[in-house]
mmCIF file of all heavy atoms in Angstrom:
data_model
loop_
_atom_site.group_PDB
_atom_site.id
_atom_site.type_symbol
_atom_site.label_atom_id
_atom_site.label_comp_id
_atom_site.label_asym_id
_atom_site.label_seq_id
_atom_site.Cartn_x
_atom_site.Cartn_y
_atom_site.Cartn_z
ATOM 1 N N ALA T 345 -31.801 5.342 -46.731
ATOM 2 C CA ALA T 345 -33.085 4.863 -46.222
ATOM 3 C C ALA T 345 -33.950 6.009 -45.749
ATOM 4 O O ALA T 345 -35.026 6.262 -46.286
ATOM 5 C CB ALA T 345 -32.858 3.871 -45.096
ATOM 6 N N THR T 346 -33.503 6.732 -44.730
ATOM 7 C CA THR T 346 -34.274 7.873 -44.242
ATOM 8 C C THR T 346 -34.131 9.073 -45.172
ATOM 9 O O THR T 346 -35.093 9.797 -45.431
ATOM 10 C CB THR T 346 -33.812 8.259 -42.828
ATOM 11 O OG1 THR T 346 -32.388 8.458 -42.835
ATOM 12 C CG2 THR T 346 -34.126 7.137 -41.845
ATOM 13 N N THR T 347 -32.941 9.309 -45.678
ATOM 14 C CA THR T 347 -32.690 10.399 -46.623
ATOM 15 C C THR T 347 -32.124 9.798 -47.908
ATOM 16 O O THR T 347 -31.150 9.045 -47.851
ATOM 17 C CB THR T 347 -31.669 11.404 -46.059
ATOM 18 O OG1 THR T 347 -32.154 11.918 -44.812
ATOM 19 C CG2 THR T 347 -31.457 12.565 -47.026
ATOM 20 N N PRO T 348 -32.729 10.076 -49.068
ATOM 21 C CA PRO T 348 -32.195 9.505 -50.312
ATOM 22 C C PRO T 348 -30.790 10.006 -50.609
ATOM 23 O O PRO T 348 -30.423 11.123 -50.240
ATOM 24 C CB PRO T 348 -33.200 9.972 -51.372
ATOM 25 C CG PRO T 348 -33.886 11.152 -50.772
ATOM 26 C CD PRO T 348 -33.908 10.927 -49.292
ATOM 27 N N ILE T 349 -30.007 9.173 -51.269
ATOM 28 C CA ILE T 349 -28.629 9.537 -51.623
ATOM 29 C C ILE T 349 -28.618 10.826 -52.430
ATOM 30 O O ILE T 349 -27.722 11.670 -52.276
ATOM 31 C CB ILE T 349 -27.961 8.409 -52.433
ATOM 32 C CG1 ILE T 349 -28.003 7.088 -51.643
ATOM 33 C CG2 ILE T 349 -26.530 8.769 -52.781
ATOM 34 C CD1 ILE T 349 -27.292 7.130 -50.328
ATOM 35 N N GLU T 350 -29.627 11.011 -53.282
ATOM 36 C CA GLU T 350 -29.694 12.199 -54.136
ATOM 37 C C GLU T 350 -29.960 13.476 -53.341
ATOM 38 O O GLU T 350 -29.839 14.575 -53.895
ATOM 39 C CB GLU T 350 -30.784 12.026 -55.191
ATOM 40 C CG GLU T 350 -30.507 10.954 -56.216
ATOM 41 C CD GLU T 350 -30.868 9.549 -55.725
ATOM 42 O OE1 GLU T 350 -31.356 9.420 -54.568
ATOM 43 O OE2 GLU T 350 -30.673 8.592 -56.497
ATOM 44 N N SER T 351 -30.329 13.345 -52.057
ATOM 45 C CA SER T 351 -30.603 14.522 -51.226
ATOM 46 C C SER T 351 -29.509 14.787 -50.212
ATOM 47 O O SER T 351 -29.699 15.587 -49.281
ATOM 48 C CB SER T 351 -31.945 14.341 -50.499
ATOM 49 O OG SER T 351 -33.012 14.255 -51.411
ATOM 50 N N LEU T 352 -28.364 14.141 -50.361
ATOM 51 C CA LEU T 352 -27.237 14.342 -49.455
ATOM 52 C C LEU T 352 -26.243 15.337 -50.053
ATOM 53 O O LEU T 352 -26.098 15.412 -51.279
ATOM 54 C CB LEU T 352 -26.512 13.016 -49.203
ATOM 55 C CG LEU T 352 -27.287 11.912 -48.471
ATOM 56 C CD1 LEU T 352 -26.451 10.634 -48.445
ATOM 57 C CD2 LEU T 352 -27.639 12.342 -47.063
ATOM 58 N N PRO T 353 -25.525 16.090 -49.206
ATOM 59 C CA PRO T 353 -24.420 16.909 -49.714
ATOM 60 C C PRO T 353 -23.360 16.020 -50.373
ATOM 61 O O PRO T 353 -23.282 14.807 -50.099
ATOM 62 C CB PRO T 353 -23.878 17.585 -48.447
ATOM 63 C CG PRO T 353 -25.020 17.555 -47.474
ATOM 64 C CD PRO T 353 -25.761 16.281 -47.761
ATOM 65 N N GLY T 354 -22.533 16.615 -51.207
ATOM 66 C CA GLY T 354 -21.577 15.863 -52.013
ATOM 67 C C GLY T 354 -20.673 14.922 -51.234
ATOM 68 O O GLY T 354 -20.441 13.778 -51.639
ATOM 69 N N PHE T 355 -20.147 15.384 -50.094
ATOM 70 C CA PHE T 355 -19.227 14.550 -49.313
ATOM 71 C C PHE T 355 -19.902 13.280 -48.826
ATOM 72 O O PHE T 355 -19.325 12.195 -48.848
ATOM 73 C CB PHE T 355 -18.690 15.348 -48.123
ATOM 74 C CG PHE T 355 -17.870 14.527 -47.165
ATOM 75 C CD1 PHE T 355 -16.626 14.039 -47.537
ATOM 76 C CD2 PHE T 355 -18.354 14.233 -45.894
ATOM 77 C CE1 PHE T 355 -15.876 13.263 -46.652
ATOM 78 C CE2 PHE T 355 -17.615 13.475 -45.010
ATOM 79 C CZ PHE T 355 -16.366 12.987 -45.388
ATOM 80 N N TYR T 356 -21.168 13.394 -48.411
ATOM 81 C CA TYR T 356 -21.892 12.234 -47.897
ATOM 82 C C TYR T 356 -22.281 11.291 -49.033
ATOM 83 O O TYR T 356 -22.391 10.081 -48.830
ATOM 84 C CB TYR T 356 -23.111 12.694 -47.113
ATOM 85 C CG TYR T 356 -22.747 13.573 -45.938
ATOM 86 C CD1 TYR T 356 -22.722 14.964 -46.066
ATOM 87 C CD2 TYR T 356 -22.400 13.021 -44.715
ATOM 88 C CE1 TYR T 356 -22.379 15.778 -45.007
ATOM 89 C CE2 TYR T 356 -22.050 13.830 -43.642
ATOM 90 C CZ TYR T 356 -22.039 15.210 -43.799
ATOM 91 O OH TYR T 356 -21.670 16.011 -42.745
ATOM 92 N N ARG T 357 -22.509 11.832 -50.225
ATOM 93 C CA ARG T 357 -22.747 10.958 -51.382
ATOM 94 C C ARG T 357 -21.507 10.112 -51.663
ATOM 95 O O ARG T 357 -21.621 8.939 -52.047
ATOM 96 C CB ARG T 357 -23.096 11.789 -52.620
ATOM 97 C CG ARG T 357 -24.404 12.548 -52.507
ATOM 98 C CD ARG T 357 -24.797 13.147 -53.841
ATOM 99 N NE ARG T 357 -25.858 14.128 -53.704
ATOM 100 C CZ ARG T 357 -26.546 14.628 -54.708
ATOM 101 N NH1 ARG T 357 -26.289 14.227 -55.931
ATOM 102 N NH2 ARG T 357 -27.498 15.524 -54.497
ATOM 103 N N PHE T 358 -20.350 10.711 -51.482
ATOM 104 C CA PHE T 358 -19.099 9.974 -51.662
ATOM 105 C C PHE T 358 -18.995 8.853 -50.635
ATOM 106 O O PHE T 358 -18.651 7.710 -50.975
ATOM 107 C CB PHE T 358 -17.910 10.930 -51.533
ATOM 108 C CG PHE T 358 -16.579 10.241 -51.400
ATOM 109 C CD1 PHE T 358 -15.992 9.622 -52.485
ATOM 110 C CD2 PHE T 358 -15.929 10.212 -50.172
ATOM 111 C CE1 PHE T 358 -14.768 8.978 -52.365
ATOM 112 C CE2 PHE T 358 -14.704 9.577 -50.034
ATOM 113 C CZ PHE T 358 -14.116 8.949 -51.139
ATOM 114 N N LEU T 359 -19.318 9.152 -49.378
ATOM 115 C CA LEU T 359 -19.287 8.117 -48.342
ATOM 116 C C LEU T 359 -20.248 6.976 -48.667
ATOM 117 O O LEU T 359 -19.956 5.808 -48.401
ATOM 118 C CB LEU T 359 -19.641 8.712 -46.982
ATOM 119 C CG LEU T 359 -18.624 9.643 -46.313
ATOM 120 C CD1 LEU T 359 -19.178 10.139 -44.978
ATOM 121 C CD2 LEU T 359 -17.290 8.941 -46.097
ATOM 122 N N ALA T 360 -21.391 7.316 -49.227
ATOM 123 C CA ALA T 360 -22.414 6.305 -49.513
ATOM 124 C C ALA T 360 -21.954 5.274 -50.528
ATOM 125 O O ALA T 360 -22.517 4.174 -50.596
ATOM 126 C CB ALA T 360 -23.685 6.985 -50.011
ATOM 127 N N GLU T 361 -20.934 5.601 -51.303
ATOM 128 C CA GLU T 361 -20.460 4.665 -52.324
ATOM 129 C C GLU T 361 -19.816 3.431 -51.710
ATOM 130 O O GLU T 361 -19.772 2.379 -52.346
ATOM 131 C CB GLU T 361 -19.479 5.361 -53.275
ATOM 132 C CG GLU T 361 -20.113 6.416 -54.156
ATOM 133 C CD GLU T 361 -21.194 5.846 -55.046
ATOM 134 O OE1 GLU T 361 -20.974 4.774 -55.638
ATOM 135 O OE2 GLU T 361 -22.271 6.458 -55.141
ATOM 136 N N PHE T 362 -19.315 3.528 -50.489
ATOM 137 C CA PHE T 362 -18.624 2.377 -49.906
ATOM 138 C C PHE T 362 -19.038 2.079 -48.465
ATOM 139 O O PHE T 362 -18.632 1.046 -47.911
ATOM 140 C CB PHE T 362 -17.106 2.574 -49.953
ATOM 141 C CG PHE T 362 -16.622 3.829 -49.277
ATOM 142 C CD1 PHE T 362 -16.390 3.866 -47.919
ATOM 143 C CD2 PHE T 362 -16.401 4.989 -50.023
ATOM 144 C CE1 PHE T 362 -15.950 5.037 -47.301
ATOM 145 C CE2 PHE T 362 -15.955 6.158 -49.414
ATOM 146 C CZ PHE T 362 -15.724 6.180 -48.048
#
Side-chain angles (χ1 to χ4, degrees):
T346 53
T347 302
I349 303 299
E350 293 82 1
S351 297
L352 295 174
F355 173 69
Y356 300 93
R357 295 190 194 192
F358 167 73
L359 289 179
E361 292 300 315
F362 56 85

